[in-house]
């Protein structure tokens, strides 16, 4: 066995985890300052707590899941119960808490058992880590000061595999409340474009009760593959709504168009009355697996955008 940057680390296939793999394991070391950061992998060395807290449906027991030796949550992760997850688990596991690695203690939780996400270990667990399947995580009002108000600048990055059928959607970030035909808040979605769930488009809705805009990617993409979506919003840009946004899919800029608009521009995103969530809004979707959700309270540089996208590609096999 060879000595890697983390000491002697035997891996499946007699490989070692070396220095060349550091960047995909510790994204927040290269792109710091996140306001909130959830992932099924360890994002920064200074975070030593559990990645998530799972509930065992057979007896409702809960335990925290620590990163395995590849820095993921997987069947061979240690648990706070003192066992490997493979020994602790029994039947279906549900997510109770997804811990924030940003240091801001903005944990996502779901106390309603019927809405908790199912924890699934992928076939290639040591490459893809673990994934969450379906339903809702509550974020609440934890990001109001980051996302809403005048002159906001922020970046939302999420990695998921979601293949909604036509008119169905997976909402990677949802914080919308409506008043007649106006929208308050922001929602980032993957919307299905065909009945088989093979293609989709990115959609961003936002408004402040005086203005409502809906943007959508111009071309469809194959939703049967995992995707990393990065949405960069510059609230100080006052020439057009489109100029306020930059959207990347797997590190490549995604052309967007305005599909509907009402009210004056410029405007500020208004704080909605409903709680923020990561969710599926229609039951006709099969399975949505989400691996990662990060918000930065600033615009990422071009280099940081690529670091974030490449990190997701390496971590989840895009």
């Amino acid at each position: 066995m060879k000595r890697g940057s983390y000491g002697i680390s035997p891996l499946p296939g007699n490989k070692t985890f070396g220095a060349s793999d550091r960047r995909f394991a510790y994204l927040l070391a290269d792109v710091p300052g996140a306001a909130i950061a959830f992932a099924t992998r360890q994002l920064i060395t200074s975070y030593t707590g559990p990645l998530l807290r799972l509930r065992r449906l057979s007896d409702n027991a809960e335990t925290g899941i620590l990163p395995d030796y590849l820095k993921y949550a997987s069947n061979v992760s240690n648990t706070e119960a003192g066992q490997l997850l493979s020994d602790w688990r029994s039947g279906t596991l549900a997510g109770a808490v997804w811990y924030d690695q940003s240091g801001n203690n903005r944990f996502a939780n779901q106390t309603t058992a019927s809405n908790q996400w199912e924890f699934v270990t992928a076939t290639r667990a040591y490459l893809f880590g673990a994934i969450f399947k379906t339903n809702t995580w509550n974020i609440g009002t934890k990001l109001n000061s980051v996302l809403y108000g005048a002159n906001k600048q922020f970046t939302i990055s999420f990695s998921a595999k979601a293949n909604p059928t036509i008119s169905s959607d997976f909402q990677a970030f949802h914080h919308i409340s409506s008043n007649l035909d106006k929208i308050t808040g922001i929602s980032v979605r993957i919307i299905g474009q065909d009945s088989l769930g093979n293609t989709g488009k990115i959609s961003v809705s936002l408004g402040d009760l005086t203005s409502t805009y809906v943007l959508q990617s111009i071309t469809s993409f194959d939703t049967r593959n995992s995707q990393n979506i990065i949405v960069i919003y510059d609230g100080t840009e006052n020439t057009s709504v489109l100029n306020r946004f930059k959207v990347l899919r797997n590190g490549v800029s995604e052309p967007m168009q305005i599909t509907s608009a009402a009210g004056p521009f410029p405007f500020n995103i208004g704080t909605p009355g409903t709680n923020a969530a990561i969710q599926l809004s229609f039951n006709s979707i099969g399975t949505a697996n989400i691996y990662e959700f990060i918000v930065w309270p600033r615009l990422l540089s071009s280099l940081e955008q690529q670091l974030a996208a490449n990190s997701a590609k390496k971590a989840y096999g895009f």
Side-chain angles (χ1 to χ4, degrees):
M1 293 182 292
K2 297 180 179 179
R3 180 176 296 273
S5 60
Y6 300 95
I8 298 174
S9 304
L11 304 185
N14 196 30
K15 297 179 180 178
T16 58
F17 189 46
S20 63
D21 298 299
R22 181 193 66 80
R23 186 162 286 161
F24 94 84
Y26 298 116
L27 169 62
L28 295 187
D30 293 309
V31 189
I36 195 168
F38 312 132
T40 56
R41 56 176 176 148
Q42 187 176 353
L43 294 172
I44 191 168
T45 54
S46 60
Y47 181 78
T48 57
L51 299 177
L52 48 112
R53 187 169 189 84
L54 298 182
R55 179 175 63 90
R56 193 166 55 192
L57 270 62
S58 60
D59 61 0
N60 290 321
E62 295 185 7
T63 189
I65 309 302
L66 301 167
D68 66 15
Y69 54 85
L70 281 179
K71 313 305 177 185
Y72 285 103
S74 76
N75 250 339
V76 295
S77 291
N78 285 313
T79 69
E80 291 183 322
Q83 299 172 281
L84 292 180
L85 179 57
S86 57
D87 297 323
W88 183 85
R89 68 183 305 165
S90 175
T92 302
L93 302 177
V97 180
W98 203 354
Y99 291 104
D100 175 19
Q101 298 183 44
S102 72
N104 295 308
N105 295 319
R106 292 172 168 146
F107 303 150
N109 60 70
Q110 180 52 266
T111 57
T112 303
S114 59
N115 286 335
Q116 289 177 344
W117 285 33
E118 182 183 349
F119 176 86
V120 180
T121 301
T123 303
R124 299 175 65 185
Y126 297 103
L127 175 61
F128 297 111
I131 51 184
F132 288 106
K133 184 176 77 173
T134 66
N135 262 328
T136 304
W137 281 110
N138 288 331
I139 302 175
T141 59
K142 299 179 181 71
L143 291 175
N144 281 8
S145 62
V146 176
L147 300 175
Y148 305 112
N151 300 321
K152 292 296 182 180
Q153 295 179 320
F154 57 80
T155 302
I156 297 174
S157 173
F158 70 93
S159 299
K161 181 179 181 181
N163 52 344
T165 57
I166 190 168
S167 298
S168 301
D169 68 334
F170 164 77
Q171 301 191 16
F173 183 73
H174 169 77
H175 200 159
I176 292 285
S177 61
S178 297
N179 181 357
L180 299 176
D181 61 338
K182 304 299 183 187
I183 293 173
T184 306
I186 182 170
S187 180
V188 181
R189 300 168 171 164
I190 297 177
I191 297 179
Q193 298 294 306
D194 68 271
S195 59
L196 298 177
N198 292 336
T199 60
K201 290 185 177 182
I202 303 165
S203 176
V204 181
S205 303
L206 74 163
D208 65 354
L209 289 187
T210 62
S211 301
T212 294
Y213 288 87
V214 179
L215 288 73
Q216 195 170 103
S217 56
I218 293 175
T219 58
S220 299
F221 53 87
D222 190 343
T223 57
R224 292 170 295 183
N225 301 318
S226 299
Q227 310 287 337
N228 171 250
I229 309 297
I230 297 177
V231 177
I232 302 171
Y233 175 78
D234 182 357
T236 68
E237 167 59 54
N238 287 326
T239 60
S240 75
V241 175
L242 283 174
N243 284 343
R244 286 193 172 192
F245 284 92
K246 180 177 181 181
V247 179
L248 295 90
R249 182 173 61 85
N250 300 336
V252 179
S253 291
E254 191 81 9
M256 305 291 288
Q257 60 186 337
I258 297 176
T259 58
S260 62
F265 181 83
F267 67 96
N268 303 314
I269 302 179
T271 304
T274 54
N275 281 343
I278 305 168
Q279 67 179 36
L280 305 171
S281 60
F282 292 89
N283 293 327
S284 54
I285 190 173
T287 299
N289 298 321
I290 182 165
Y291 321 102
E292 196 164 288
F293 176 78
I294 303 173
V295 177
W296 287 271
R298 59 186 180 86
L299 308 179
L300 298 193
S301 68
S302 295
L303 175 59
E304 289 176 322
Q305 294 164 30
Q306 288 304 311
L307 287 171
N310 290 338
S311 177
K313 289 179 185 179
K314 291 179 180 179
Y316 309 118
F318 299 167

